[in-house]
Amino acid sequence: MLFRTKKTVDIDTSALPRHIGIIMDGNGRWAKKRGLPRSAGHKAGAEALKKIITEANNLGVEYITVYAFSTENWKRPKEEVDYLMGLLMDYLINAEKTLAGENVVIRAIGSRKELSEEMQRQIIKTEEFTKNNTGIVMNIALNYGGREEILHAVKDISRAVKAGEISADDINERNISDALYTGGQPDVDLLIRTSGEMRLSNFMLWQVSYAEMWFTDKLWPDFKPADLRKAIYDFQNRGRRFGGV
Ligand code: FPP
């Protein structure tokens, strides 16, 4: 089926990227341009995100992972960290009501033990509340780092080897993928980064191996559903060869 968009790019809904990853960058610059505190940029970023999730879900995308807070983001001023954590908390609480109504499955990926107990409880609650939904799976990368994720997987697999559950020779790409926070989900097909930066920043290092990368100069709060459709359209018009010819 062809999905005609307002800007007349035709998305083929039978050939969607199954998994989209987004590095939502530029909230701070968006706020600065307007003479506002960085927190205002994050707030606008959270609003932009809601619309993108709704759009991706309506199009029929199966998985979306958004980089909300990296393991490195703790280095930011305490005031900004506290604000971001508050926003994430609100998002998880509201997601229970609004996104659940839209049939979204919400999951948090990343290391949880450094998060507040309140946040850890809310994550479990939101995940539980939305787990039987049948729409898009939204992974919120929260205290997430790609290397930390791989390290975590290696430790889990090493324990299984030590316990004699598997032998070292049985370790393969499949069981490494399964041991990641995204275990059971497909790799990322399309990786989007906003704000003109062209770095991976420790995001889904294993899962983006064959992802198409799509960059825009737009700052995250300015990223609209039409931009998502354009990224998908461009994805559909690239030739993916997975190392073949
Ligand atoms: C990068 O912009 C953005 C972040 C570090 C946080 C992303 C968070 C949100 C979009 C809002 C909250 C998310 C959820 C899931 C509710 P930056 O601050 O590095 O911007 P800059 O590079 O312009 O300074």
Side-chain angles (χ1 to χ4, degrees):
M1 187 186 135
L2 286 180
F3 191 97
R4 188 166 287 272
T5 70
K6 281 186 201 131
K7 292 202 169 161
T8 67
V9 289
D10 288 330
I11 290 176
D12 177 356
T13 51
S14 67
L16 289 168
R18 292 189 67 198
H19 192 163
I20 298 178
I22 309 187
I23 302 177
M24 310 179 287
D25 199 5
N27 293 347
R29 277 162 283 169
W30 184 92
K32 195 171 176 200
K33 263 173 53 181
R34 289 163 177 74
L36 296 169
R38 292 177 62 80
S39 54
H42 294 314
K43 186 162 184 273
E47 289 306 316
L49 177 60
K50 278 188 203 147
K51 295 195 185 86
I52 295 304
I53 298 300
T54 302
E55 181 74 5
N57 192 27
N58 288 343
L59 282 169
V61 174
E62 293 170 71
Y63 299 88
I64 191 162
T65 303
V66 295
Y67 209 178
F69 194 91
S70 76
T71 45
E72 286 76 35
N73 285 155
W74 297 107
K75 292 183 211 142
R76 295 190 177 202
K78 183 176 182 306
E79 193 184 288
E80 185 174 348
V81 169
D82 288 349
Y83 186 83
L84 271 170
M85 288 297 160
L87 254 189
L88 283 156
M89 193 69 187
D90 287 350
Y91 198 88
L92 287 167
I93 294 168
N94 286 329
E96 250 188 65
K97 300 182 196 123
T98 55
L99 290 177
E102 294 184 24
N103 208 13
V104 176
V105 179
I106 294 151
R107 304 204 37 214
I109 63 167
S111 176
R112 297 194 184 176
K113 57 183 188 295
E114 294 81 7
L115 302 173
S116 70
E117 283 183 16
E118 189 193 12
M119 176 85 90
Q120 293 185 40
R121 273 196 300 274
Q122 185 59 47
I123 289 171
I124 294 169
K125 205 162 160 245
T126 304
E127 285 186 337
E128 210 34 53
F129 197 77
T130 61
K131 72 174 186 203
N132 294 323
N133 285 343
T134 54
I136 195 168
V137 175
M138 173 191 190
N139 297 314
I140 304 178
L142 178 49
N143 194 30
Y144 174 88
R147 286 187 173 184
E148 191 282 329
E149 179 180 39
I150 293 170
L151 184 64
H152 180 263
V154 168
K155 285 185 180 169
D156 271 359
I157 293 170
S158 304
R159 277 190 282 268
V161 172
K162 195 169 174 216
E165 290 158 22
I166 57 166
S167 77
D169 288 336
D170 290 335
I171 301 172
N172 54 32
E173 291 190 13
R174 182 60 200 262
N175 48 38
I176 293 177
S177 290
D178 285 346
L180 300 175
Y181 296 127
T182 51
Q185 302 184 6
D187 280 348
V188 172
D189 299 301
L190 170 62
L191 175 69
I192 296 172
R193 181 167 188 154
T194 57
S195 90
E197 308 291 347
M198 295 184 188
R199 290 184 292 277
L200 269 183
S201 301
N202 205 12
F203 185 62
M204 304 192 94
L205 299 179
W206 179 277
Q207 299 93 326
V208 298
S209 293
Y210 288 99
E212 291 293 328
M213 299 168 90
W214 192 89
F215 300 104
T216 174
D217 285 341
K218 279 202 179 177
L219 304 174
W220 175 252
D222 292 329
F223 192 83
K224 300 279 180 310
D227 299 307
L228 177 75
R229 294 195 295 265
K230 177 71 169 66
I232 296 174
Y233 175 81
D234 289 348
F235 166 86
Q236 293 183 330
N237 288 284
R238 291 187 192 174
R240 295 180 87 198
R241 292 189 297 278
F242 298 96
V245 285

